[in-house]
Amino acid sequence: MLRWVRQQLGFDPPHQSDTRTIYIANRFPQHGHYVPQKFADNRIISSKYTVWNFVPKNLFEQFRRVANFYFLIIFLVQLMIDTPTSPITSGLPLFFVITVTAIKQGYEDWLRHKADNEVNGAPVYVVRSGGLVKTRSKNIRVGDIVRVAKDETFPVDLVLLSSDRVDGSCHVTTASLDGETNLKTHVAVPETAVLQSVANLDKLVAVIECQQPEADLYRFVGRITISQQMEEIVRPLGPESLLLRGARLKNTKEIFGVAVYTGMETKMALNYKSKSQKRSAVEKSMNSFLIIYLIILLFEAILSTILKYAWQAEEKWDEPWYNEKTEHERNSSKILRFISDFLAFLVLYNFIIPISLYVTVEMQKFLGSFFIGWDLDLYHEETNQRAQVNTSDLNEELGQVEYVFTDKTGTLTENEMQFRECSINGIKYQEVNGKLTPEGFSEDSPDGNRHSLMKEEELFLKAVCLCHTVQINADQTDGADGPWHANGIASPLEYYASSPDEKALVEAASRVGVVFTGTSGDTMEVKSLGKPERYKLLHVLEFDPNRRRMSVIVESPSGEKLLFTKGAESSILPRSKSGEIDKTRIHVDEFALKGLRTLCVAYRRFTPEEYQEIGKRLREARTALQQREERLADVFNFIERDLELLGATGVEDKLQEKIQETIEALRLAGIKVWVLTGDKHETAVSVSLSCGHFHRTMNILELVQHKSDSTCAEQLRQLAKRIKEDHVIQHGLVVDGTSLSLALREHEKLFMEVCKNCSAVLCCRMAPLQKAKVVRLLKTSPEKPITLAIGDGANDVSMIQEAHVGIGIMGKEGRQAVRNSDYAIARFKFLSKLLFVHGHFYYIRIATLVQYFFYKNVCFITPQFLYQFFCLFSQQTLYDSVYLTLYNICFTSLPVLIYSLFEQHVHPHVLQSKPVLYRDISKNAHLGFKPFLYWTILGFFHAFVFFYGSYLLMGEDTSLLRNGQILKPNRQMMFGNWTFGTLVFTVMVITVTMKMALETHFWTWINHFVTWGSIVFYFIFSLFYGGIIWPFLHTQDMYFVFVQLLSSGSAWFAIILIVVACLFLDVVKKVLYRHLQPTSTEKAQLTEAGSGINCLDSMCCFSDGETACTSVRRMLERLMGRCSPTRVNRCGISLNSLCCRRFSYKLEPDEPAAIDV
């Protein structure tokens, strides 16, 4: 326990060393100095709380919120000093908010505990005492040898020892980790690969030294020392030897591996990344409003305290006969009395701060987020993928986006590669009917005859078939001998690849006669026009983003050592010393102009001496425990030089459907689109033009290939000058990675000025961190625009996390982008509905919710402030304590919550077809200072009308009786302070509820039920509360007050008159503004009404034979923007009657609209 505490405080880091030593099967040395190491157990803990710490930890987190902490202080003040209201009035709402939030968080954590227990209790088999022992996953220790069978997931991070295959290889899929469904091959070291039985493994004496746990899924550095016949054999261990927890074994009967990382130290657990908390603009506005209202509260409390003492300066008011002071009060300090009175007024007015706002906003965000997942318009049928919400905190931010940063490959394109062209030895080729045909050459030979390949063509295709990481379906490799059956009919092989480019190239080579038929151990098999050839795979130089290439060293059937390399032209051409370099460079540029993805292919022959030197360097680098990556990079650069260029390939990546329409819609909505890609300049520009990001009429400016600060700065100044001179036309900017680095280093302000004046920006040759830097640059600029980043690959994660809103595309480059995003969609085209419909609705709903909450609390507490002028600031409360407590919890909470879930002020089809409406809500337009001021002034105005209207209509010509009640002349109605307060409260509840009704455009039966139901509930509750003597109440000031109030006709007249007076001016203002200064949204509402689409669709009536469940389903479809019914029911609602009429209409333009009344 002490060690854990020290670790949490940072005094005792868990891993003192950079490496860990693991004794296989936990055979620790018997002699010599041995220091036991402490490793984590294999329990996965994704939960946040335990039974013991839930209450204190949850309370601590909740009271970090300013509003909760504020109400806690008010509650404590009420307990400590004599205040005008009961502590229950603050304590009960606070308890309700804290309890609801705690229940929600506790339930979510219980689900995590349940999932953890299921994982930790899963059965596993471990080699112990010479046999297989069945145990639970949580009992696995570091050093245990674990057996995993086919299709099982790995329970820990294992170093592969052996498999059922002789070469010790196995296939795994890491779909649950990074989404890649391709099969990956992992291999054991030769010395342990032969130990395929439990008995042999039990005799193994070996030690593994490896790095301490880290989150990188693709990095592992270690070595294994095996003791055999009195000698020690050292072998390097890399990512190819590590089987990750969560991955699944495929096409392999069973494997044995030793546990190296367990529990929360596994790479999967370390990737449970707690993303940095993103706060929406609405949340920031809400906090600002809270501070303003806190200032108003302090002002009212201070003013009331000062006026109280000013009033008491007159002797007759200082100690009236009905309120004599005690001896203690007379002798107490004036300063203490002032502070006590100030705190009492603070308590009296504290409800101006809406405590239930936070919990209502949380519920609105949580429940509202389900509509995105339910939206069938965001469902991709081909891949069976729905939209996914990873965080509900940013729903309204979808309606505020000003910049979209998008990846190209897999986001704008399908990431489905098709081979189109290639260049071999300076000659361009195309694939025609399964044959490689030089450009301009028409092939007249019959399809059945196979033409022979030239030597250069065959070598090029062999390089393509050998230099890759492609796998073949095991069922095919285990069956017939390759793709050629005995009858001579070709059977196409099914290839798996992590890179779609590699798969397209290997499939293209197989179609033209050079077929990769699979691997057997360290042998790669290729058939060239049916003739089998075996190449021994000696070394693989893995691809990495810095080198931008991969290589293999193979031994040909003739015994020659060959290096085959493929990669980006920028990494291959400078390293080539022979071949048709200039012609190939021209062809690569031509391919790029057509929008094709390009790769260059080269090779090198090694002499025996050169190969011996290379082998020695590779062994030294791969067995190093320190700086292994740097050493390997140096060795790879030493090997991949003096290349002979073979040619280049051009692969097409098709654009996704509706890309042009989506980008144009974003532009109409006032959103600027930046494309950030790693592709070369020409390819990126071509794709930008074809997808509509750049227009043909747009003036394309370039900031590329700059090597120095001076030239970059000069070019930027020239671009800025050109933009000012040609300000009439639109400009597009192209910038590459190197020039961007220079621009951001010294000339950030100038670069930003150029970018902001361009309609579209394209950044090519970008590294992942550069993408994030660009997003951060815009995000932190003086205007502070709201940014959105969208991508599908691991290289997009940094910009997705950096942007205000991150969206992952469920593409073919894994699920890392999806896992680290805030929202995930299947296709780029879905972005338009996500922003223009869902974003628009969420923003309007929550903006109204927040301001309405402040409005109704101003209405609530201002009469209390005004009442103090009539009671000598004696801190007498105007409302009964039960009303104080239930106002925000029961009487006015549901209408605004339902509004914030279901409101549709414009039909979804209209919002999506008119992207310009998105501009009406941009830049936080509905939560700015003017709307906030309007709602606040409206609240004060309504409060004055409530108070003085009730006073003038019911409080004149009265005589004070001895019991403090007032007798109206000619009527025996008891009209005292509780009756007056109840009248004000009744008018207030009706008015604020009706105000919500006025704001509602989209009426469902749920809206009707909660709106009118809230008013009815208030009346019923008040009748029961005041009409019965409740034995558990100490005092019952409200007994029979409400009944007497409602028995008076003048009271009903006053209620109706005051409610109408309050809302009349608001209605007039709305009508005048709508006709004199209508916004684009209001114009769209008028157009919509004229076209037969009405937002007053309701579910209060059912069609003939239609059930309520059908109506509920139709409403959900309508809410998700899918409503295109042939018959839709409407309700005409008025205060006095509910009259149902049935309409039907067609939304489709090609179908007639019909109305049945």
Side-chain angles (χ1 to χ4, degrees), residues 1-4 7 12-17 19-22 28 34-41 141-142 212-213 260 262 265:
M1 182 67 183
L2 181 62
R3 178 182 173 83
W4 180 85
Q7 287 180 9
D12 186 20
H15 306 301
Q16 302 288 353
S17 170
T19 61
R20 57 168 53 186
T21 303
I22 300 157
F28 304 113
Y34 166 66
V35 179
Q37 291 179 276
K38 292 187 178 181
F39 302 116
D41 58 31
R141 300 169 297 173
V142 170
Q212 295 291 2
V260 289
T262 50
E265 293 182 342

Side-chain angles (χ1 to χ4, degrees), residues 285-300:
S285 298
M286 199 163 72
N287 291 338
S288 302
F289 298 161
L290 276 173
I291 292 170
I292 293 172
Y293 272 71
L294 194 59
I295 293 170
I296 294 173
L297 169 64
L298 292 172
F299 170 76
E300 288 183 349

Side-chain angles (χ1 to χ4, degrees), residues 1052-1121:
W1052 281 105
F1053 174 75
I1055 290 170
I1056 295 170
L1057 188 64
I1058 294 170
V1059 170
V1060 171
C1062 283
L1063 298 177
F1064 177 73
L1065 290 177
D1066 197 38
V1067 171
V1068 170
K1069 178 253 178 190
K1070 281 179 176 291
V1071 171
L1072 289 176
Y1073 267 82
R1074 183 175 285 268
H1075 286 84
L1076 299 178
Q1077 292 182 331
T1079 62
S1080 301
T1081 304
E1082 289 167 344
K1083 290 176 183 175
Q1085 288 171 341
L1086 293 171
T1087 308
E1088 176 186 331
S1091 64
I1093 303 172
N1094 199 321
C1095 285
L1096 293 175
D1097 297 336
S1098 179
M1099 293 173 54
C1100 62
C1101 308
F1102 305 133
S1103 300
D1104 298 334
E1106 188 180 62
T1107 65
C1109 291
T1110 310
S1111 187
V1112 171
R1113 175 183 55 76
R1114 190 181 67 242
M1115 185 197 71
L1116 290 175
E1117 289 177 348
R1118 175 78 171 83
L1119 287 169
M1120 293 182 284

